[in-house]
Amino acid sequence: MARLGFGAFLAPHHPIGENPMLQFRRDIAFVKHLDELGYDEFWCGEHHSSGWEMIASPEMFLAAAGEHTKRIKLATGVISLPYHHPYNVAQRMVQLDHMTGGRAIFGSGPGALPSDAHTLGIDPMTQRDRQDEAIGIIRRLFAGERVTHKSEWFTMQDAALQLLPLQEDMPFAVASQISPSGMTLAGKYGIGIISLGSMSTEGLTALPTQWGFAESAAKKAGTTVDRKNWRVLLNWHVAETREKAREEAKHGLMRWHNEYIHGTLMRPGSVPYKSPDAAVDEMSSEGSAAVIGTPDDLVKMIKSVVDQSGGFGTCVGFVHDWANPENTFRSWDMVARYVIPEINGYVTKLRESQKYLQENRAVFDRAGQAIMAKIMENKDAAEALKVTSNPRVSAAAAQVPKGLGKQAAK
């Protein structure tokens, strides 16, 4: 299996009731934690209503995160393009790219919350077309063009960026749910995708069809799409045992679903969970889009999704507050320590080396016998061996043949 990138997606989904200032600071600390653990990407979103999703400017948040990190890519997940003049979006992304040393990824969407569009007086029927129009304009600006463009919602007159991105080709990505619109846009422009709908069982099932939409649109537009630029979003919370993971996540999971997904967003078809245990059972049932269990459980699920989808480039975990901050940080730590190495084969050769040594013990015993022969030729060395031949304390004991202590004592 080709190696996967790993990232995190912070909407955020923070329960109402905590100090917002401290939540922002903890989110920054979380990005720093991911950077130190070697994660590849961090995404954060733009929302203006609902109470739980409180980052209004992903560019501002990512600029702050950039000052606390060194290597992790920082992605807008996503900027809702119909809410902004495209020229201003382009300028802010260029500035972010320079401020983060060329680590910016430009993720865009049409806008996720109907309440946001209502607040801004935007007709939801226009949002996807406006995203398409804005992407085309921003790509021209990034290419250094001077653009004149008149639209029903913005105007540009001889507009050109006075500063281009630090990256020669800043990565673009569009958000995709279950409808074909996001994938079609990706194919039209030959850019990346982040599949958000994959957090549902229906979304997982639709992944192969979704990629087909991107390929068809690319063929029609004369562009190409690459699975390496496809990010798939998954849900997880891991601990040393399934029982521990369940206990850590179940109360927060129930609150998240009942108060936000069902009670606030009123997602069609959702029903409130009756108990924390029922929440875990439903969320992590066979074939679901979430793992609440051990690192081994998550490895199995990721491999299954790779096979089911036909392959993608980056596995992105959804950041939630199901567990308390300490256990949440530890869950991401365990994914970095155990899941990522297993998925990407970082420990495969170590296991092979260990197995080779075990299976060829007789070959290496000859080296120990040669050492023994030299030692026994020297009376003083033979005497010293009586107190240094304990395999529990000797660093070089692997080279000492069996029964060496008995021979030295004779």
Side-chain angles (χ1 to χ4, degrees), residues 21 26 38-39 44 123 147 151 253 410:
M21 177 190 70
R26 188 165 67 240
Y39 283 87
C44 74
D123 182 354
V147 179
S151 168
L253 168 57
K410 291 180 179 179

Side-chain angles (χ1 to χ4, degrees), residues 59 84-94 141 156 161:
E59 307 99 313
H84 309 274
H85 194 295
Y87 186 79
N88 289 334
V89 174
Q91 287 195 109
R92 292 197 298 266
M93 286 305 304
V94 168
L141 290 170
M156 287 186 187
L161 297 175

Side-chain angles (χ1 to χ4, degrees), residues 200-220:
S200 69
T201 303
E202 296 81 3
L204 279 181
T205 304
L207 286 176
T209 305
Q210 290 283 302
W211 185 254
F213 291 142
E215 288 185 322
S216 296
K219 184 176 181 180
K220 181 178 179 180

Side-chain angles (χ1 to χ4, degrees), residues 40 43 59 82 95 103 110 144 154 172 195 237 294 348 393 407:
D40 300 291
W43 298 70
E59 307 99 313
Q95 182 171 332
R103 290 187 282 146
F154 71 89
F172 275 58
S195 289
H237 178 76
T294 66
T348 300
V393 298
Q407 294 182 51

Side-chain angles (χ1 to χ4, degrees), residues 65-122:
E67 294 300 300
H68 295 268
T69 56
K70 296 178 180 178
R71 56 166 299 280
I72 194 169
K73 294 281 188 178
L74 300 168
T76 57
V78 296
I79 295 176
S80 300
L81 290 180
Y83 302 169
H84 309 274
H85 194 295
Y87 186 79
N88 289 334
V89 174
Q91 287 195 109
R92 292 197 298 266
M93 286 305 304
V94 168
Q95 182 171 332
L96 177 63
D97 200 39
H98 280 268
M99 291 181 68
T100 58
R103 290 187 282 146
I105 299 174
F106 176 38
S108 73
L113 299 179
S115 51
D116 287 352
H118 174 78
T119 298
L120 296 168
I122 297 172

Side-chain angles (χ1 to χ4, degrees), residues 197-205 207 233-236 253 273 278-293 297-298 300-302 304-305 308 322:
S198 54
M199 288 196 300
S200 69
T201 303
E202 296 81 3
L204 279 181
T205 304
L207 286 176
L233 199 62
L234 300 175
N235 254 323
W236 63 63
L253 168 57
Y273 294 133
V280 175
D281 290 340
E282 177 69 23
M283 182 60 71
S284 59
S285 60
E286 186 70 26
S288 73
V291 165
I292 302 173
D297 293 330
L298 183 54
K300 180 181 177 181
M301 192 260 253
I302 292 173
S304 174
V305 175
Q308 184 176 359
W322 296 351

Side-chain angles (χ1 to χ4, degrees), residues 151-372:
S151 168
E152 64 176 3
W153 61 291
F154 71 89
T155 299
M156 287 186 187
Q157 296 182 167
D158 299 323
L161 297 175
Q162 64 176 357
L163 185 65
L164 294 179
L166 182 60
Q167 298 177 84
E168 187 174 2
D169 186 14
M170 184 191 296
F172 275 58
V174 292
S176 172
Q177 296 280 356
I178 297 179
S179 76
S181 59
M183 286 290 192
T184 301
L185 270 184
K188 177 179 178 179
Y189 292 106
I191 58 180
I193 306 117
I194 179 164
S195 289
L196 308 180
S198 54
M199 288 196 300
S200 69
T201 303
E202 296 81 3
L204 279 181
T205 304
L207 286 176
T209 305
Q210 290 283 302
W211 185 254
F213 291 142
E215 288 185 322
S216 296
K219 184 176 181 180
K220 181 178 179 180
T223 65
T224 58
V225 285
D226 191 334
R227 287 180 179 269
K228 290 182 180 179
N229 299 323
W230 185 15
R231 286 102 174 162
V232 172
L233 199 62
L234 300 175
N235 254 323
W236 63 63
H237 178 76
V238 300
E240 289 82 354
T241 66
R242 292 178 184 172
E243 293 74 21
K244 186 176 180 181
R246 288 176 62 96
E247 188 62 33
E248 291 175 354
K250 64 182 183 180
H251 296 288
L253 168 57
M254 181 175 176
R255 182 181 180 187
W256 169 76
H257 178 82
N258 288 5
E259 291 187 18
Y260 189 53
I261 302 302
H262 177 75
T264 302
L265 298 182
M266 301 180 186
R267 187 163 293 168
S270 69
V271 294
Y273 294 133
K274 295 182 179 180
S275 71
D277 286 317
V280 175
D281 290 340
E282 177 69 23
M283 182 60 71
S284 59
S285 60
E286 186 70 26
S288 73
V291 165
I292 302 173
T294 66
D296 288 341
D297 293 330
L298 183 54
V299 167
K300 180 181 177 181
M301 192 260 253
I302 292 173
K303 289 182 176 179
S304 174
V305 175
V306 170
D307 290 341
Q308 184 176 359
S309 66
F312 51 89
T314 302
C315 178
V316 181
F318 187 77
V319 184
H320 46 67
D321 286 1
W322 296 351
N324 64 33
E326 293 77 17
N327 289 330
T328 297
F329 274 51
R330 177 163 174 73
S331 172
W332 287 85
D333 178 85
M334 293 189 73
V335 172
R337 291 167 61 194
Y338 302 114
V339 176
I340 295 175
E342 194 66 37
I343 291 293
N344 286 336
Y346 298 154
V347 294
T348 300
K349 299 301 290 184
L350 294 174
R351 291 197 180 105
E352 287 182 9
S353 179
Q354 179 189 37
K355 184 178 180 181
Y356 183 80
L357 190 64
Q358 292 168 339
E359 293 178 347
N360 293 274
R361 186 66 253 172
V363 174
F364 305 117
D365 280 348
R366 289 185 57 81
Q369 291 164 6
I371 294 172
M372 179 62 190

